[in-house]
Amino acid sequence: MTTKTVLVTGAQQGIGAAAARAFAAAGYDVAVNWLDNREAAEAIAVDIAATGRKAVLVQGDVGAAASCAALVQAAIDGLGHLDVLVNNAGIFPRVEFLQMTEAQWDAVLDVNLKGSAFCAQEAARHMVAAGIKGVILNLSSSSVRGAVLGVHYSATKTGVIGITRSMALALAPHGIRVNAIAPGLTDTAQPRYGNTDEELAEMAKAMPLGRMGRPEEIAGLMTYLASEPAAWITGQVYHINGGVYLA
């Protein structure tokens, strides 16, 4: 187990793709979880291979506990063991609160909250059994402050903070660290689902640092939190948002 390994969920694009590349650059073999775009996942695998690290493609939807267990096990089978889990997969279908349906609520909670919990559970079971003092990183969001078109989304990202703190306490006796990262407006496809480029530009200008975040900046924090210099950090939430939310 001299080579460190990581599974990144939702790694076919955006912050997840940046995380997969950053961990490879830091010397990790990487399991790239993808949902519906194998070509994009394969392109990321090529980038990982260019660093000299191993890439394993793991297809799967984190929206069901059984699927979480299967994709984590597939990553372990492909990599040999698992040191780090990045719970990045998430969805944010914008909807007015007064029009939100039960199905829309359930879909977002299944992927964003239940998926994070059960991927973490399966990864932690492996780490405990193998005696690995591993790391779990959960993706929250600055939407914990509220999201006009995302009552369901905000609920899940607030819930991610709760499960992060609770899992950190539960897994500390095993030497497993659990932290959360809460990005603000980041230059990915996700914010473009509900905003025009002009609207995004205005939102970026309103930030104290005057721009959107870059996926690579979020990924840089991930690799630090998984590293040995961060070995005494657990149960924390890191807001990375250009100063728009000073927690």
Side-chain angles (χ1 to χ4, degrees):
M1 296 188 183
T2 54
T3 298
K4 293 289 188 179
T5 64
V6 60
L7 164 62
V8 182
T9 68
Q12 70 185 39
Q13 63 181 4
I15 292 173
R21 294 185 177 104
F23 274 99
Y28 287 72
D29 288 346
V30 184
V32 178
N33 165 241
W34 60 282
L35 175 63
D36 55 9
N37 190 338
R38 184 178 181 90
E39 184 177 350
E42 288 175 341
I44 294 160
V46 169
D47 292 342
I48 292 168
T51 70
R53 305 316 315 168
K54 179 180 180 180
V56 174
L57 298 184
V58 179
Q59 197 278 335
D61 182 352
V62 303
S67 179
C68 290
L71 71 88
V72 172
Q73 188 58 54
I76 294 166
D77 291 344
L79 298 174
H81 69 283
L82 189 62
D83 294 293
V84 179
L85 166 68
V86 177
N87 270 320
N88 167 77
I91 58 173
F92 186 178
R94 273 74 169 175
V95 62
E96 295 279 355
F97 174 59
L98 296 181
Q99 279 73 54
M100 186 176 66
T101 66
E102 182 179 6
Q104 289 169 323
W105 170 272
D106 288 346
V108 176
L109 264 71
D110 282 350
V111 172
N112 296 4
L113 190 56
K114 183 168 72 175
S116 293
F118 281 95
C119 283
Q121 182 189 63
E122 191 68 18
R125 284 173 173 167
H126 161 74
M127 292 171 184
V128 170
I132 296 170
K133 297 184 186 302
V135 174
I136 297 171
L137 300 175
N138 298 321
L139 266 290
S140 181
S141 166
S142 61
S143 292
V144 295
R145 300 176 69 201
V148 173
L149 297 178
V151 170
H152 46 4
Y153 182 78
S154 182
T156 63
K157 294 305 183 178
T158 303
V160 163
I161 293 174
I163 65 172
T164 295
R165 290 169 173 160
S166 297
M167 288 191 298
L169 293 173
L171 297 174
H174 302 287
I176 298 170
R177 299 187 294 108
V178 188
N179 290 294
I181 297 172
L185 184 66
T186 306
D187 191 6
T188 67
Q190 195 251 58
R192 288 181 168 79
Y193 293 143
N195 302 283
T196 65
D197 285 342
E198 291 75 18
E199 288 169 335
L200 286 173
E202 287 302 312
M203 292 163 67
K205 279 192 226 175
M207 293 181 166
L209 289 182
R211 64 171 176 84
M212 289 192 284
R214 303 183 186 100
E216 295 77 15
E217 292 168 323
I218 314 301
L221 179 56
M222 291 179 188
T223 56
Y224 169 71
L225 289 174
S227 72
E228 190 59 30
W232 209 44
I233 301 174
T234 195
Q236 303 305 305
V237 182
Y238 287 84
H239 293 274
I240 177 168
N241 52 43
V244 74
Y245 175 32
L246 305 176

